[in-house]
């Protein structure tokens, strides 16, 4: 009988689209999220942890392709119940933190307070093609209020977002929460598309195709045109006013020379949209005046402008000035999803990109008001508003500003000079821990003392403790300041080196006090 082939060893590699997080990565993220959680807690929000797995049915419209349950998510079908004859439920790793909130709000609606204010932090998974900076598992940090239709809830989310950014170390002047409202844009669209049948669509344009292909009433056709306009103005940041005008009308050529089809509006019909996009004034009052002019006689638009005015007043009352949060009509991302106020937090300081070019860091959070969150489960509309912080983006910003360093550094390392005295070394580490100081005993081969110091260096240890037989007999220990030692070795003159010894001898009873002095 032939011998079975030896099984090949598995490859030690991270799956594509995933990554491993080590010491400082984890502690930096945890410290940042802990500070954000403190802000949310002070605002009265409760933490919520949901299952990493949801039914595909519960994920609902949040899936990119509901006809293929495993598209866009990591999904699997449970085995059929024995004797049942049919396959089990489709399950999936959660795609975001919003779909689980919808399910929780519906499932526990009789037990939860209304409004329900919660924050959630944790990993989410998306079965998408990985790429540079694009991973299949990443962290999200959300805060939402479910069950309140008041713009006071939206204003509170914006104020809380500003507080959270400052809590993690972003200084005032280095960020701005920018606020817009979908209702204002709806009003602008009403002003532009007053009578769909009177729109002058040239044959072959996107507008003409929509008119021919949509056998519905005028309202439905106008909604289709509105969606096309929304997709166009979402490009405002990239192509500017003239680029948006071209895309709303006859189209434009991109940088490659390819012709991009326009929506088919006339310049007169596009004018209200452009007025909306360029209505940012010197302050909130000026911006609101321009927006009122842009929406014209639209009741929906006027309602949106009034909501923005209310938010501006509420933010001012909460001490959030316009240098922290401001009304800004150029915020157009997400307007296809949100139904009322929409906002994003932008970091305004300049960094160097991978090619050494100066650029503004950009957006690290976004959110707004949305309907239909719980309606899929209950059939009743439940208003909601919330914000999501890009955890990796914000952490990258803190690193760019030098604000994400590990304050705790590595542990104090107690070196081992004599194997038989391990209990004494463990007692030293225990005393340090009891005083709130991170400490560990070296547990490798103690024969080579140099290797112990190399280990301490790799651990980022600020201090090493040394006690040989001679020190033990005299009841003293050597305390080596590794940070000062490295600095002296790199920069100090001989006289400075002599005047700043990086290693001191103290009594065993003074060990904790000396380490505290060094760390302090």
């Amino acid at each position: 009988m032939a011998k079975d082939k030896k099984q090949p060893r598995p490859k030690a590699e991270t799956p594509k689209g995933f990554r491993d997080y080590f010491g400082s990565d984890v502690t930096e993220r945890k410290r940042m999220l802990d500070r954000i959680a403190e802000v949310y807690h002070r605002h009265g929000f409760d933490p919520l942890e949901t299952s990493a797995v949801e039914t595909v049915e519960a994920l609902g419209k949040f899936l990119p392709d509901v006809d293929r349950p495993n598209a866009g998510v990591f999904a699997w079908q449970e085995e059929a119940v024995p004797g049942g004859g049919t396959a089990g439920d489709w399950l999936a790793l959660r795609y975001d933190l919003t779909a689980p909130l919808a399910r929780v709000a519906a499932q526990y609606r009789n037990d939860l307070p209304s409004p329900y204010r919660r924050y959630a932090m944790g990993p989410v998974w998306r079965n998408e093609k990985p790429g540079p900076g694009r991973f299949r598992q990443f962290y999200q940090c959300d805060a939402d209020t479910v069950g309140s239709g008041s713009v006071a809830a939206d204003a509170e989310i914006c104020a809380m977002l500003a507080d959270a950014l400052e809590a993690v170390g972003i200084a005032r002047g280095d960020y701005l929460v920018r606020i817009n409202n979908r209702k204002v844009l709806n009003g602008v669209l009403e002003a532009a598309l007053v009578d769909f049948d009177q729109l002058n669509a040239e044959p072959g344009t996107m507008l003409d195709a929509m008119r021919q292909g949509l056998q519905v009433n005028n309202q439905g056709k106008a909604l289709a045109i509105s969606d096309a306009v929304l997709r166009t103005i979402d490009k405002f940041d990239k192509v500017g006013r003239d680029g948006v005008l071209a895309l709303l009308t006859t189209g434009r050529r991109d940088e490659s020379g390819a012709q991009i089809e326009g929506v088919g509006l006339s310049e007169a019909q596009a004018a209200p949209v452009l007025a909306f996009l360029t209505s940012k004034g010197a302050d909130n009052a000026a911006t609101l005046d321009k927006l009122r002019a842009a929406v014209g006689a639209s009741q929906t638009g006027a309602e949106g402008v009034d909501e923005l005015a209310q938010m501006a007043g509420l933010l001012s009352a909460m001490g959030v000035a316009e240098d922290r949060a401001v009304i800004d009509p150029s915020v157009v991302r997400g307007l296809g999803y949100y139904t009322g106020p929409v906002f994003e937090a932008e970091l305004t300081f300049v960094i160097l990109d991978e090619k050494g070019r100066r650029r503004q860091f950009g957006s690290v959070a976004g959110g707004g008001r949305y309907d239909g969150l719980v309606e899929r489960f209950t059939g009743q509309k439940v208003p909601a508003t919330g914000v999501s912080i890009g955890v990796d983006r914000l952490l990258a910003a803190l690193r760019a500003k030098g604000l994400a360093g590990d304050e705790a550094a590595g542990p104090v390392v107690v070196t081992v000079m004599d194997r038989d005295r391990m209990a004494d070394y463990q007692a030293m580490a225990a005393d340090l821990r009891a005083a709130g100081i991170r400490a560990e005993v070296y547990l490798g081969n103690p024969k080579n003392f140099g290797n112990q110091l190399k280990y301490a260096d790799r651990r980022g240890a600020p201090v090493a403790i040394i006690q040989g037989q001679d020190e033990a007999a005299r009841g003293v220990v050597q305390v080596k300041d590794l940070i000062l030692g490295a600095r002296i070795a790199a920069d100090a003159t001989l006289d400075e080196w002599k005047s700043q010894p990086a290693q001191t001898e103290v009594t065993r009873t003074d060990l904790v006090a000396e380490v505290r002095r060094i760390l302090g």
Side-chain angles (χ1 to χ4, degrees):
M1 181 180 293
K3 292 183 179 180
D4 293 336
K5 288 185 178 181
K6 187 176 180 180
Q7 289 290 334
R9 292 189 181 96
K11 290 184 179 180
E13 61 182 12
T14 309
K16 290 182 180 179
F18 295 86
R19 52 182 164 171
D20 301 305
Y21 296 90
F22 294 92
S24 61
D25 295 325
V26 176
T27 55
E28 287 171 0
R29 181 180 64 205
K30 181 181 183 302
R31 184 169 55 252
M32 182 184 78
L33 293 178
D34 285 348
R35 290 173 177 172
I36 294 172
E38 288 176 4
V39 172
Y40 291 171
H41 181 75
R42 285 200 302 271
H43 279 261
F45 284 63
D46 289 332
L48 173 67
E49 291 186 4
T50 60
S51 168
V53 176
E54 295 283 340
T55 66
V56 167
E57 183 182 19
L59 289 176
K61 67 178 182 180
F62 298 96
L63 279 170
D65 187 346
V66 295
D67 295 326
R68 294 183 298 136
N70 61 344
V73 295
F74 290 98
W76 64 94
Q77 190 172 28
E78 290 193 304
E79 294 183 3
V81 177
T86 58
D89 291 334
W90 274 93
L91 303 178
L93 290 173
R94 63 190 180 198
Y95 188 78
D96 61 11
L97 297 177
T98 307
L101 174 62
R103 190 258 306 160
V104 165
Q107 183 177 351
Y108 301 100
R109 61 186 180 278
N110 294 327
D111 303 316
L112 294 172
S114 183
Y116 175 51
R117 299 138 69 90
R118 82 87 174 91
Y119 66 89
M121 303 172 177
V124 298
W125 296 266
R126 298 187 182 181
N127 188 8
E128 299 172 341
K129 184 177 181 180
R134 186 181 184 89
F135 295 94
R136 290 170 165 173
Q137 175 181 322
F138 53 93
Y139 259 72
Q140 286 191 339
C141 172
D142 289 12
D144 295 81
T145 297
V146 180
S148 173
S150 170
V151 292
D154 303 281
E156 180 182 49
I157 291 284
C158 291
M160 191 166 68
L161 176 57
D163 288 346
L165 292 175
E166 293 183 18
V168 301
I170 304 297
R172 295 187 187 183
D174 278 344
Y175 76 88
L176 190 62
V177 178
R178 303 189 298 138
I179 306 166
N180 199 355
N181 194 303
R182 170 62 195 265
K183 292 180 182 178
V184 177
L185 180 56
N186 286 348
V188 169
L189 293 173
E190 287 180 10
L193 310 175
V194 174
D195 189 341
F196 178 85
D197 284 333
Q198 297 303 314
L199 293 178
N200 299 317
E202 295 294 330
T205 64
M206 184 187 302
L207 189 59
D208 180 57
M210 288 180 179
R211 176 181 285 137
Q212 294 180 26
L214 291 169
Q215 301 300 319
V216 292
N217 57 26
N218 280 0
Q219 181 181 7
K221 295 175 183 178
L223 286 174
I225 298 300
S226 297
D227 288 341
V229 174
L230 279 173
R231 291 192 298 272
T232 301
I233 67 174
D234 195 36
K235 300 178 176 65
F236 179 70
D237 285 347
K238 293 182 178 180
V239 302
R241 180 193 180 281
D242 292 341
V244 168
L245 174 59
L247 289 172
L248 288 174
T249 54
T250 58
R252 67 185 291 269
R253 291 190 181 277
D254 63 15
E255 295 178 353
S256 69
Q259 180 67 27
I260 302 175
E261 185 180 5
V263 175
L265 301 181
S266 68
E267 289 197 13
Q269 291 156 350
V273 179
L274 296 175
F276 163 75
L277 287 172
T278 58
S279 57
K280 180 73 172 72
D283 55 24
N284 282 342
T287 300
L288 292 168
D289 286 342
K290 290 184 177 182
L291 287 176
R292 287 191 177 93
V295 300
S298 168
Q299 183 176 348
T300 300
E303 183 179 329
V305 176
D306 288 343
E307 288 182 358
L308 287 176
Q310 291 177 51
M311 287 186 67
L314 289 166
L315 286 167
S316 177
M318 287 186 281
V320 181
E322 291 185 30
D323 62 342
R324 300 175 69 198
V326 66
I327 307 301
D328 188 344
S330 68
V331 180
V332 294
R333 290 188 179 90
L335 283 175
Y337 172 74
Y338 294 112
T339 60
V342 58
F343 29 84
E344 70 176 17
E346 184 177 85
L347 301 188
T348 56
F349 58 82
V350 173
I351 63 169
L352 297 179
D353 64 15
E354 62 276 4
K355 295 184 179 179
R357 297 171 298 191
R358 291 170 58 85
R359 65 176 180 85
Q360 192 169 296
F361 191 90
S363 177
V364 293
R369 176 164 290 279
Y370 48 95
D371 293 331
L373 177 73
V374 187
E375 185 181 5
R376 292 189 303 112
F377 297 93
T378 65
Q380 300 174 338
K381 284 191 177 296
V382 178
T385 186
V387 67
S388 182
I389 294 176
V391 173
D392 292 328
R393 284 277 297 168
L394 182 55
L395 191 54
L398 295 179
R399 287 171 178 159
K401 293 286 284 184
L403 299 171
D406 190 356
E407 296 168 357
V412 172
V413 172
V414 180
T415 61
V416 175
M417 306 299 290
D418 186 350
R419 290 177 185 269
D420 296 334
R421 297 184 49 254
M422 182 61 75
D424 293 337
Y425 301 130
Q426 292 287 3
M428 294 179 197
D431 288 347
L432 291 167
R433 294 184 199 118
I437 298 170
R438 192 179 180 207
E440 67 170 77
V441 177
Y442 179 74
L443 297 178
N445 189 337
K447 284 187 176 181
N448 188 326
F449 182 70
N451 286 343
Q452 297 194 51
L453 293 183
K454 288 180 181 178
Y455 171 82
D457 181 61
R458 292 191 68 179
R459 295 285 284 129
V463 175
I465 308 301
I466 306 165
Q467 189 190 61
Q469 290 183 352
D470 176 64
E471 286 89 359
R474 294 188 290 115
V476 298
V477 295
Q478 301 289 334
V479 181
K480 188 174 183 64
D481 185 335
L482 299 177
I483 296 175
L484 177 60
R487 191 160 60 241
I488 290 174
D491 303 320
T493 64
L494 177 61
D495 290 339
E496 289 172 333
W497 183 82
K498 289 179 178 179
S499 65
Q500 298 184 74
Q503 184 169 310
T504 56
E505 182 178 280
V506 298
T507 64
R508 170 66 177 84
T509 55
D510 289 336
L511 169 62
V512 171
E514 177 64 11
V515 172
R516 272 183 171 159
R517 182 191 68 78
I518 293 173
L519 296 180

